[in-house]
Amino acid sequence: ALTSYSEDVRPALKTLVSSLGTGPWLSGLWWGDSQLGFLTMWVGHAIAAGTWAAEGGPGLPLQYYVYADFTENPGNQCFVHSKDDCKKCLARCAANPLPSGSFWLPAWGFMGPGNNMSCVVDSEGYCGDRGFLDVVATYRESTALQLWEAVEEALRSGPRTESQVFDLLLSARG
């Protein structure tokens, strides 16, 4: 939030910062859930962006970059796409893996035959039916609080590894 900074610094920030760019937060080396990470980033940004507009300037746009070649846990970001795009993303990652010097994973983090592949492999079954575009279209007019309450409600039943977060969230919406 802009208000987290000293009033002396805010004019410089408003002049220099025109958007917030981020990517697979919560999806990397700690093997987090990329869909929940996307939702968390969106809600946090929605709350903070309002402070930029309240200071007399435009809001702060969020640019969220999705890519299969993430250097920590490559392919995990594919899961923010809907089923068909997720499968294509995973296939691209597997067909064109990153060179071994461009990422770091602990030995137990590798997958595939012989546990020597960096990309998420044999995981098309984990691609959800719904993707981030579906979530954005459904919740674009909602407040951050409404979205987060819907996420909490969708996850309240406890861990369900057979479903993706976006599918649970949107099925609860109807």
Side-chain angles (χ1 to χ4, degrees):
L2 184 60
T3 53
S4 299
Y5 296 93
S6 165
E7 289 185 24
D8 297 333
V9 176
R10 292 180 199 172
L13 289 173
K14 289 191 300 187
T15 299
L16 297 172
V17 179
S18 59
S19 68
L20 173 65
T22 188
W25 187 69
L26 194 65
S27 307
L29 188 56
W30 302 108
W31 282 265
D33 186 303
S34 54
Q35 291 186 359
L36 193 55
F38 173 84
L39 292 167
T40 304
M41 182 62 68
W42 188 20
V43 168
H45 171 265
I47 293 167
T51 65
W52 288 72
E55 290 278 323
L60 184 66
L62 175 66
Q63 297 175 3
Y64 193 88
Y65 298 97
V66 179
Y67 43 91
D69 295 343
F70 183 50
T71 59
E72 298 174 349
N73 196 4
N76 188 290
Q77 269 291 274
C78 296
F79 296 120
V80 300
H81 292 292
S82 59
K83 187 178 288 286
D84 290 340
D85 288 339
C86 176
K87 288 180 179 181
K88 290 176 193 172
C89 181
L90 289 169
R92 245 188 336 269
C93 186
N96 299 301
L98 294 169
S100 62
S102 65
F103 62 88
W104 178 86
L105 288 172
W108 52 266
F110 288 94
M111 302 178 189
N115 293 325
N116 61 358
M117 298 180 70
S118 61
C119 290
V120 178
V121 295
D122 300 327
S123 53
E124 289 87 3
Y126 296 111
C127 292
D129 292 325
R130 310 297 276 283
F132 74 95
L133 293 175
D134 300 305
V135 174
V136 170
T138 301
Y139 285 94
R140 76 174 338 121
E141 301 298 324
S142 300
T143 65
L145 178 61
Q146 290 168 327
L147 173 57
W148 195 250
E149 286 177 341
V151 169
E152 286 182 332
E153 181 62 31
L155 299 178
R156 191 163 278 128
S157 63
R160 295 190 1 220
T161 58
E162 74 280 359
S163 298
Q164 290 287 353
V165 174
F166 292 167
D167 289 344
L168 293 171
L169 177 64
L170 295 174
S171 68
R173 179 93 175 197

